[in-house]
Amino acid sequence: MRYELLIALRYLRARRKSAFISITTIFTAVGVTIGVAALIITLSVMNGFQASLRERVLSLSPQIQIIKYGGSIANYNEIEAKADAIEQVAGSDPFVVGQAMMSADHRVSGVVVRGIDTGKTAGTAQLRRFITSGDLASLVPHANRAADPPLIGTVAIGRSLADKLKAGLHDRMRMIAPILAAGGGELTTRTGEVEVGAIFDSGVSFIDGSVVFIGLAQAQQFFGREGKVDGVEVKLKNLDDTAAVAERLRRLYPAPYRVRSWIEFNQAASAGFAMLKRVYALVLLMLIGVAAFNLVATLIMVVMEKRKDIAVLMTMGATPRDVRTIFVLKGLVVGGVGTAGGLMLGSLGSYLLAHYHFIEIPREIYGISTLPIEVEPLNFVLVALASIALCLAATLYPARQASRQSPVEAIRS
C-alpha cells in the first residue's frame, strides 16, 4: 500500500481530541449516501413511469404507420406482405379510422372509431391484455341489417367511455358519422347501431374515453371504404429498431405514401419526460454536491489539526504533491464509501418499491396503482461517477492548502 493512502486511512480513525472531526466525516459520508440513493430511486421511478406510459400508449396506437396522401390505400395486402418480410417486424395490420358520435341513454360523446382486423394477432395482442369484460372475437358483422337504423356489429369501448355513456356489455348504442359522398360530393351522415362486445381499460385516459374499436369489414362498409383502408400499422419486435425499419419502409414506399413512427406521434410526451428526468437528476445531483462539499470544511479542519504532522512529513522528504495526494485520497475514501452505500441503499429501495407496493398512487390519473420501477445499470454507473467527481472536486482546495504549509512555521507553533 502506498504510504499516502496509509496515512489518509489513519487520518480517518477517531481520536479523543479529534472526535468532532470524525463525526463530521461520518455525517458527510451519510449525506453522500442519502443523495446517491435518492437519485438512484428517483431515476428508477422516472424510468418506470416512462416505460409504463410508453407501453400502454403504444399498445393501442401505431408503432409505425404507412398512410397515403390524398386518399385510401387499395393495395394494402401488398404493403402488408412487404412489411412482414422485414426481419425486425412482428406483424402488420390494415386499419380504417373515422370520427363519429356515440349515443346511449340520452348521453352523447364524440369518439374516434378504429377498424381493426381481429384475426391479426400482432395488432390485437396488446389490446387483448386490457380487456376487462367481453371478448375481441365478438367484433364481427351483425346478421340483422334490416333494422332501422341497421345493426352494424359489435364494438370494444374503453372503461371511461362506458362510464360516461352508462353502457355495459351487450348494451346497444347509436353511432352517427359524417360521410363524404363518392367523388368529393356533399357531406352526409350515416347512422347505425352497435352492440358493446368488449370493454377495455388501458389506463390512458384519452384512449379509454374516446377510442372505439370495431371490426375492419364493418368499418370499411360503414365509412364507405369498401376494399380500401386508411393505412397499415406495423408492429415491431423491438422498439429500438424503429428508426431503421421506418427508413427502410420509406425507401420501399416513397411519395405519395408517408411513413410515420411512434416517435413522431409522441414527440412532445417523450421530450417532456426527458426534460423532467434531467431536472430531477440535476436537483438531486445538487443534493449530492451539498453533501460532498461538506468535505471542504471537514478536510480544512483536518489540515488545521495535522499541521505539525504535515510539517514532519515534509521534513522527512514528502513533496507538496505527496501531501496533496494524502488529502485527496482521504476525501475520495469518504466519497467512495458514501457512494457505495448510496448505490446499495438505492438498489434496496428500488427492489422494495418494485416487489412490495406500499406506495399507492391514483389509478384514475396515472393508469397504475403503484409506483413503476425500472432499474437501468447505466444509471448506477453515471450516478457513481458524478458523485465521485463531486467529492474529488471538494478535496482540491483543502489538499492545496495542506501542501502549501511551511514546515518551519508549523513546527515553531
Side-chain angles (χ1 to χ4, degrees):
M1 182 183 297
R2 289 176 60 89
Y3 84 91
E4 296 96 332
L5 179 58
L6 180 63
I7 295 173
L9 294 175
R10 288 178 63 89
Y11 283 172
L12 289 171
R13 299 176 185 175
R15 294 181 180 179
R16 183 173 301 175
K17 64 179 182 179
S18 60
F20 176 75
I21 297 176
S22 298
I23 292 174
T24 304
T25 303
I26 293 173
F27 284 152
T28 300
V30 170
V32 174
T33 297
I34 294 174
V36 170
L39 183 53
I40 288 293
I41 294 174
T42 300
L43 290 176
S44 298
V45 171
M46 291 299 297
N47 288 335
F49 268 114
Q50 188 172 14
S52 176
L53 179 62
R54 188 174 70 175
E55 177 187 359
R56 285 182 284 117
V57 170
L58 291 182
S59 63
L60 301 179
S61 62
Q63 295 179 4
I64 295 181
Q65 190 180 78
I66 304 173
I67 60 176
K68 186 177 181 181
Y69 289 107
S72 302
I73 300 175
N75 61 329
Y76 61 91
N77 290 324
E78 173 192 337
I79 296 177
E80 286 185 83
K82 289 187 177 181
D84 292 341
I86 299 175
E87 182 181 358
Q88 298 93 331
V89 172
S92 59
D93 305 288
F95 66 88
V96 171
V97 64
Q99 295 182 336
M101 298 290 293
M102 301 288 289
S103 65
D105 194 21
H106 305 291
R107 295 176 175 86
V108 180
S109 178
V111 297
V112 175
V113 181
R114 188 175 180 87
I116 59 173
D117 187 350
T118 56
K120 297 278 190 175
T121 57
T124 59
Q126 294 293 335
L127 177 58
R128 292 180 192 276
R129 294 172 49 196
F130 300 122
I131 298 295
T132 57
S133 57
D135 191 355
L136 284 182
S138 64
L139 302 187
V140 295
H142 203 284
N144 185 6
R145 293 186 173 275
D148 186 20
L151 297 176
I152 303 169
T154 54
V155 295
I157 63 175
R159 172 61 59 187
S160 299
L161 182 61
D163 293 341
K164 182 178 180 179
L165 298 178
K166 303 299 180 184
L169 199 63
H170 305 306
D171 287 349
R172 290 186 178 180
M173 300 184 297
R174 178 167 293 193
M175 186 163 68
I176 306 171
I179 303 295
L180 188 64
E186 296 181 356
L187 184 66
T188 61
T189 60
R190 184 166 295 175
T191 304
E193 282 197 353
V194 294
E195 183 179 314
V196 178
I199 298 176
F200 61 87
D201 186 4
S202 70
V204 182
S205 58
F206 73 89
I207 293 179
D208 293 342
S210 60
V211 178
V212 172
F213 292 94
I214 191 171
L216 181 65
Q218 297 96 288
Q220 288 175 317
Q221 184 171 8
F222 185 75
F223 290 105
R225 295 174 177 78
E226 288 83 355
K228 298 181 180 179
V229 297
D230 291 327
V232 175
E233 178 183 348
V234 178
K235 294 287 185 180
L236 302 175
K237 296 177 182 177
N238 190 336
L239 288 178
D240 294 336
D241 298 324
T242 300
V245 175
E247 184 58 33
R248 183 169 177 180
L249 289 173
R250 288 189 183 101
R251 291 195 298 267
L252 287 174
Y253 293 97
Y257 295 97
R258 182 184 178 189
V259 178
R260 299 187 298 174
S261 68
W262 66 270
I263 299 175
E264 299 176 47
F265 298 140
N266 303 282
Q267 192 170 12
S270 300
F273 258 104
M275 182 187 69
L276 199 59
K277 284 175 63 177
R278 286 195 295 267
V279 170
Y280 280 144
L282 180 60
V283 170
L284 292 173
L285 200 60
M286 292 173 64
L287 176 62
I288 299 175
V290 170
F293 275 87
N294 285 335
L295 282 171
V296 176
T298 302
L299 292 178
I300 287 177
M301 288 189 290
V302 174
V303 170
M304 294 174 62
E305 183 197 18
K306 304 295 184 181
R307 289 185 62 197
K308 291 186 178 180
D309 292 357
I310 295 171
V312 170
L313 286 173
M314 297 183 76
T315 55
M316 293 176 64
T319 64
R321 180 179 179 180
D322 295 336
V323 175
R324 285 196 301 271
T325 302
I326 290 172
F327 286 92
V328 168
L329 289 175
K330 175 179 167 64
L332 287 179
V333 169
V334 175
V337 170
T339 300
L343 293 176
M344 289 188 290
L345 184 60
S347 301
L348 178 61
S350 298
Y351 175 83
L352 293 176
L353 287 173
H355 292 81
Y356 302 97
H357 303 148
F358 47 83
I359 296 181
E360 295 185 358
I361 58 178
R363 181 177 177 83
E364 60 274 10
I365 297 176
Y366 298 100
I368 46 179
S369 58
T370 58
L371 287 178
I373 300 295
E374 181 171 308
V375 178
E376 292 186 3
L378 180 61
N379 286 339
F380 283 73
V381 175
L382 295 178
V383 171
L385 291 176
S387 177
I388 294 297
L390 288 172
C391 292
L392 175 61
T395 64
L396 297 180
Y397 176 75
R400 179 172 173 270
Q401 293 299 107
S403 67
R404 297 177 66 180
Q405 296 286 334
S406 172
V408 177
E409 293 181 3
I411 293 175
R412 282 180 179 176
S413 62

